[in-house]
Amino acid sequence: MSTPTESIQVENVVSSSDIGQELDLETLSRDLGATDYDPDNFPGLIYRMYDPKATALIFRSGKAVCTGANSVDDVTTTLKHVFDELRELGVNVAASPEIEIQNIVSSGDLDNTLNLNAIAIGLGLESVEYEPEQFPGLVYRLDDPDVVALLFGSGKLVITGGTKLDDAEEALIKIEDQLNDLGLLG
């Protein structure tokens, strides 16, 4: 029998880094492949990678954001590739710029249908938002770990706001325990 924590899948890892200097995005957009740069629509250079599948957003300030990666390793691989490409173009990039994880979005499954009305009452309105006319999921804000979980009637959930891979697992265990304590799981 599988446990809900085994259902956790990382959907997106968002991270940031700093190249440490201002960049000429117009020139970079011509010299780098697989980029889009339209400053009228978005202030950064969009650099898409396909292996691993992720996107780096590079800003004039030298800040870089990686999004769309499915793991922390993919973030590191993507940004290292971007840094190497910039070095080849003569940009002075530090040997190992710090990469900071900003947000990890994960999905999971409690393997039970959920009565979201009962859960909203049971968990308390101070940490829950549930307006089924507006959004079909219940929004549950946890303090420890500091994440937001979206629970759906199907038993599926999305956990966002974590900065460590363990945050989703800890949140799912806590939610499962709370729902069991309230008698609201299977």
Side-chain angles (χ1 to χ4, degrees), residues 46-74:
I46 302 168
Y47 188 130
R48 289 184 178 79
M49 286 191 52
Y50 297 97
D51 187 26
K53 189 171 186 323
T55 300
L57 308 172
I58 304 168
F59 298 92
R60 184 171 310 284
S61 66
K63 303 277 189 220
V65 174
C66 180
T67 186
N70 289 327
S71 70
V72 173
D73 287 343
D74 286 354

Side-chain angles (χ1 to χ4, degrees), residues 14-18 63-66 75 79 98-102:
V14 178
S15 65
S16 63
S17 190
D18 192 347
K63 303 277 189 220
V65 174
C66 180
V75 163
L79 287 175
E98 182 180 347
I99 297 171
E100 185 177 338
I101 302 300
Q102 300 293 329

Side-chain angles (χ1 to χ4, degrees), residues 57-117:
L57 308 172
I58 304 168
F59 298 92
R60 184 171 310 284
S61 66
K63 303 277 189 220
V65 174
C66 180
T67 186
N70 289 327
S71 70
V72 173
D73 287 343
D74 286 354
V75 163
T76 303
T77 300
T78 298
L79 287 175
K80 282 179 85 171
H81 177 80
V82 169
F83 299 151
D84 288 345
E85 291 277 320
L86 291 173
R87 285 183 195 104
E88 286 178 22
L89 295 173
V91 176
N92 184 16
V93 180
S96 298
E98 182 180 347
I99 297 171
E100 185 177 338
I101 302 300
Q102 300 293 329
N103 184 22
I104 299 175
V105 180
S106 302
S107 63
D109 192 343
L110 289 165
D111 219 17
N112 278 282
T113 57
L114 302 176
N115 179 338
L116 298 181
N117 287 319

Side-chain angles (χ1 to χ4, degrees), residues 114-154:
L114 302 176
N115 179 338
L116 298 181
N117 287 319
I119 291 171
I121 293 166
L123 292 177
L125 299 177
E126 58 279 343
S127 58
V128 169
E129 292 175 38
Y130 182 52
E131 296 183 41
E133 313 81 34
Q134 302 291 320
F135 180 68
L138 179 143
V139 180
Y140 180 31
R141 297 181 193 292
L142 287 86
D143 291 327
D144 186 28
D146 186 13
V147 298
V148 174
L150 308 175
L151 284 73
F152 297 92
S154 65

Side-chain angles (χ1 to χ4, degrees), residues 22-30 37 45 59-60 91:
E22 285 206 10
L23 302 170
D24 179 354
L25 298 182
E26 192 74 45
T27 300
L28 289 178
S29 72
R30 286 192 304 269
Y37 181 57
L45 177 96
F59 298 92
R60 184 171 310 284
V91 176

